[in-house]
PDB file of all heavy atoms in Angstrom:
ATOM      1  N   ARG A1286     134.284 214.565 118.785  1.00 88.00           N
ATOM      2  CA  ARG A1286     135.391 213.860 119.257  1.00 88.00           C
ATOM      3  C   ARG A1286     136.474 213.921 118.137  1.00 88.00           C
ATOM      4  O   ARG A1286     137.562 213.311 118.184  1.00 88.00           O
ATOM      5  CB  ARG A1286     135.009 212.496 119.536  1.00 88.00           C
ATOM      6  CG  ARG A1286     134.319 212.231 120.783  1.00 88.00           C
ATOM      7  CD  ARG A1286     134.061 210.883 121.145  1.00 88.00           C
ATOM      8  NE  ARG A1286     133.122 210.593 122.211  1.00 88.00           N
ATOM      9  CZ  ARG A1286     132.453 209.522 122.426  1.00 88.00           C
ATOM     10  NH1 ARG A1286     132.753 208.486 121.729  1.00 88.00           N
ATOM     11  NH2 ARG A1286     131.634 209.505 123.566  1.00 88.00           N
ATOM     12  N   ARG A1287     136.131 214.615 116.998  1.00 86.00           N
ATOM     13  CA  ARG A1287     137.091 214.787 116.010  1.00 86.00           C
ATOM     14  C   ARG A1287     137.434 213.445 115.278  1.00 86.00           C
ATOM     15  O   ARG A1287     138.548 213.054 115.057  1.00 86.00           O
ATOM     16  CB  ARG A1287     138.302 215.554 116.308  1.00 86.00           C
ATOM     17  CG  ARG A1287     138.062 216.950 116.787  1.00 86.00           C
ATOM     18  CD  ARG A1287     139.295 217.687 116.957  1.00 86.00           C
ATOM     19  NE  ARG A1287     138.867 219.179 117.282  1.00 86.00           N
ATOM     20  CZ  ARG A1287     139.642 220.005 117.583  1.00 86.00           C
ATOM     21  NH1 ARG A1287     140.901 219.762 117.466  1.00 86.00           N
ATOM     22  NH2 ARG A1287     139.230 221.201 117.795  1.00 86.00           N
ATOM     23  N   ARG A1288     136.518 212.567 115.228  1.00 87.00           N
ATOM     24  CA  ARG A1288     136.639 211.353 114.425  1.00 87.00           C
ATOM     25  C   ARG A1288     135.848 211.165 113.195  1.00 87.00           C
ATOM     26  O   ARG A1288     135.183 212.260 112.904  1.00 87.00           O
ATOM     27  CB  ARG A1288     136.167 210.171 115.400  1.00 87.00           C
ATOM     28  CG  ARG A1288     136.879 210.158 116.801  1.00 87.00           C
ATOM     29  CD  ARG A1288     136.624 208.694 117.440  1.00 87.00           C
ATOM     30  NE  ARG A1288     137.282 208.767 118.683  1.00 87.00           N
ATOM     31  CZ  ARG A1288     138.483 208.230 118.962  1.00 87.00           C
ATOM     32  NH1 ARG A1288     139.209 207.745 118.104  1.00 87.00           N
ATOM     33  NH2 ARG A1288     139.004 208.130 120.252  1.00 87.00           N
ATOM     34  N   SER A1289     136.017 210.209 112.444  1.00 87.00           N
ATOM     35  CA  SER A1289     135.349 210.145 111.141  1.00 87.00           C
ATOM     36  C   SER A1289     133.919 209.984 111.327  1.00 87.00           C
ATOM     37  O   SER A1289     133.320 209.352 112.140  1.00 87.00           O
ATOM     38  CB  SER A1289     135.752 208.853 110.372  1.00 87.00           C
ATOM     39  OG  SER A1289     135.181 208.756 109.180  1.00 87.00           O
ATOM     40  N   THR A1290     133.114 210.801 110.399  1.00 88.00           N
ATOM     41  CA  THR A1290     131.701 210.875 110.567  1.00 88.00           C
ATOM     42  C   THR A1290     131.133 210.143 109.514  1.00 88.00           C
ATOM     43  O   THR A1290     129.747 210.124 109.382  1.00 88.00           O
ATOM     44  CB  THR A1290     131.162 212.388 110.441  1.00 88.00           C
ATOM     45  OG1 THR A1290     131.748 212.828 109.206  1.00 88.00           O
ATOM     46  CG2 THR A1290     131.792 213.203 111.677  1.00 88.00           C
ATOM     47  N   LEU A1291     131.772 209.453 108.644  1.00 89.00           N
ATOM     48  CA  LEU A1291     131.174 208.808 107.471  1.00 89.00           C
ATOM     49  C   LEU A1291     130.413 207.453 107.772  1.00 89.00           C
ATOM     50  O   LEU A1291     129.522 207.176 107.020  1.00 89.00           O
ATOM     51  CB  LEU A1291     132.331 208.531 106.443  1.00 89.00           C
ATOM     52  CG  LEU A1291     132.921 209.781 105.732  1.00 89.00           C
ATOM     53  CD1 LEU A1291     134.158 209.205 104.913  1.00 89.00           C
ATOM     54  CD2 LEU A1291     131.866 210.476 104.940  1.00 89.00           C
ATOM     55  N   LEU A1292     130.729 206.924 108.819  1.00 91.00           N
ATOM     56  CA  LEU A1292     130.122 205.634 109.233  1.00 91.00           C
ATOM     57  C   LEU A1292     128.618 205.798 109.722  1.00 91.00           C
ATOM     58  O   LEU A1292     127.808 204.920 109.321  1.00 91.00           O
ATOM     59  CB  LEU A1292     130.833 204.969 110.292  1.00 91.00           C
ATOM     60  CG  LEU A1292     130.173 203.597 110.966  1.00 91.00           C
ATOM     61  CD1 LEU A1292     130.319 202.609 109.969  1.00 91.00           C
ATOM     62  CD2 LEU A1292     130.989 203.363 112.184  1.00 91.00           C
ATOM     63  N   TRP A1293     128.333 206.763 110.309  1.00 91.00           N
ATOM     64  CA  TRP A1293     127.035 206.966 110.983  1.00 91.00           C
ATOM     65  C   TRP A1293     125.869 206.952 110.083  1.00 91.00           C
ATOM     66  O   TRP A1293     124.770 206.363 110.344  1.00 91.00           O
ATOM     67  CB  TRP A1293     127.108 208.216 111.912  1.00 91.00           C
ATOM     68  CG  TRP A1293     128.092 207.923 113.024  1.00 91.00           C
ATOM     69  CD1 TRP A1293     129.297 208.354 113.029  1.00 91.00           C
ATOM     70  CD2 TRP A1293     127.848 207.034 114.096  1.00 91.00           C
ATOM     71  NE1 TRP A1293     129.981 207.810 114.260  1.00 91.00           N
ATOM     72  CE2 TRP A1293     129.065 207.021 114.839  1.00 91.00           C
ATOM     73  CE3 TRP A1293     126.811 206.153 114.533  1.00 91.00           C
ATOM     74  CZ2 TRP A1293     129.101 206.155 116.030  1.00 91.00           C
ATOM     75  CZ3 TRP A1293     127.038 205.488 115.646  1.00 91.00           C
ATOM     76  CH2 TRP A1293     128.165 205.406 116.397  1.00 91.00           C
ATOM     77  N   PRO A1294     125.804 207.728 108.898  1.00 93.00           N
ATOM     78  CA  PRO A1294     124.667 207.646 108.090  1.00 93.00           C
ATOM     79  C   PRO A1294     124.457 206.252 107.518  1.00 93.00           C
ATOM     80  O   PRO A1294     123.340 205.748 107.331  1.00 93.00           O
ATOM     81  CB  PRO A1294     125.006 208.707 106.867  1.00 93.00           C
ATOM     82  CG  PRO A1294     125.992 209.594 107.471  1.00 93.00           C
ATOM     83  CD  PRO A1294     126.704 208.792 108.512  1.00 93.00           C
ATOM     84  N   PHE A1295     125.477 205.443 107.244  1.00 94.00           N
ATOM     85  CA  PHE A1295     125.371 204.086 106.774  1.00 94.00           C
ATOM     86  C   PHE A1295     124.802 203.214 107.856  1.00 94.00           C
ATOM     87  O   PHE A1295     123.996 202.352 107.587  1.00 94.00           O
ATOM     88  CB  PHE A1295     126.679 203.534 106.286  1.00 94.00           C
ATOM     89  CG  PHE A1295     127.198 204.272 105.080  1.00 94.00           C
ATOM     90  CD1 PHE A1295     128.308 205.086 105.085  1.00 94.00           C
ATOM     91  CD2 PHE A1295     126.508 204.046 103.818  1.00 94.00           C
ATOM     92  CE1 PHE A1295     128.702 205.623 103.852  1.00 94.00           C
ATOM     93  CE2 PHE A1295     126.862 204.725 102.623  1.00 94.00           C
ATOM     94  CZ  PHE A1295     127.971 205.508 102.717  1.00 94.00           C
ATOM     95  N   LEU A1296     125.164 203.417 109.085  1.00 95.00           N
ATOM     96  CA  LEU A1296     124.553 202.699 110.205  1.00 95.00           C
ATOM     97  C   LEU A1296     123.184 203.064 110.481  1.00 95.00           C
ATOM     98  O   LEU A1296     122.369 202.028 110.632  1.00 95.00           O
ATOM     99  CB  LEU A1296     125.495 202.958 111.537  1.00 95.00           C
ATOM    100  CG  LEU A1296     125.156 202.075 112.643  1.00 95.00           C
ATOM    101  CD1 LEU A1296     125.621 200.741 112.303  1.00 95.00           C
ATOM    102  CD2 LEU A1296     125.829 202.588 113.792  1.00 95.00           C
ATOM    103  N   GLY A1297     122.771 204.203 110.352  1.00 94.00           N
ATOM    104  CA  GLY A1297     121.285 204.585 110.411  1.00 94.00           C
ATOM    105  C   GLY A1297     120.623 204.014 109.211  1.00 94.00           C
ATOM    106  O   GLY A1297     119.428 203.549 109.425  1.00 94.00           O
ATOM    107  N   PHE A1298     121.138 204.021 108.051  1.00 95.00           N
ATOM    108  CA  PHE A1298     120.512 203.399 106.872  1.00 95.00           C
ATOM    109  C   PHE A1298     120.270 201.880 107.073  1.00 95.00           C
ATOM    110  O   PHE A1298     119.135 201.398 106.775  1.00 95.00           O
ATOM    111  CB  PHE A1298     121.396 203.592 105.593  1.00 95.00           C
ATOM    112  CG  PHE A1298     120.835 203.076 104.308  1.00 95.00           C
ATOM    113  CD1 PHE A1298     119.725 203.633 103.768  1.00 95.00           C
ATOM    114  CD2 PHE A1298     121.329 201.898 103.739  1.00 95.00           C
ATOM    115  CE1 PHE A1298     119.294 203.123 102.559  1.00 95.00           C
ATOM    116  CE2 PHE A1298     120.858 201.362 102.607  1.00 95.00           C
ATOM    117  CZ  PHE A1298     119.745 201.977 101.993  1.00 95.00           C
ATOM    118  N   ALA A1299     121.215 201.121 107.709  1.00 96.00           N
ATOM    119  CA  ALA A1299     121.093 199.774 108.000  1.00 96.00           C
ATOM    120  C   ALA A1299     119.901 199.499 109.022  1.00 96.00           C
ATOM    121  O   ALA A1299     119.175 198.569 108.738  1.00 96.00           O
ATOM    122  CB  ALA A1299     122.344 199.202 108.580  1.00 96.00           C
ATOM    123  N   VAL A1300     119.793 200.368 109.932  1.00 96.00           N
ATOM    124  CA  VAL A1300     118.647 200.317 110.864  1.00 96.00           C
ATOM    125  C   VAL A1300     117.304 200.449 110.041  1.00 96.00           C
ATOM    126  O   VAL A1300     116.304 199.662 110.277  1.00 96.00           O
ATOM    127  CB  VAL A1300     118.699 201.316 111.931  1.00 96.00           C
ATOM    128  CG1 VAL A1300     117.469 201.312 112.790  1.00 96.00           C
ATOM    129  CG2 VAL A1300     119.936 201.079 112.800  1.00 96.00           C
ATOM    130  N   VAL A1301     117.180 201.494 109.278  1.00 95.00           N
ATOM    131  CA  VAL A1301     116.061 201.658 108.512  1.00 95.00           C
ATOM    132  C   VAL A1301     115.741 200.483 107.482  1.00 95.00           C
ATOM    133  O   VAL A1301     114.571 200.103 107.379  1.00 95.00           O
ATOM    134  CB  VAL A1301     116.169 203.021 107.713  1.00 95.00           C
ATOM    135  CG1 VAL A1301     114.891 203.207 106.877  1.00 95.00           C
ATOM    136  CG2 VAL A1301     116.070 204.141 108.683  1.00 95.00           C
TER     137      VAL A1301
END
Side-chain angles (χ1 to χ4, degrees):
R1286 292 181 183 166
R1287 296 183 178 187
R1288 299 199 186 261
S1289 178
T1290 59
L1291 294 175
L1292 171 72
W1293 294 102
F1295 291 111
L1296 192 62
F1298 181 73
V1300 171
V1301 172

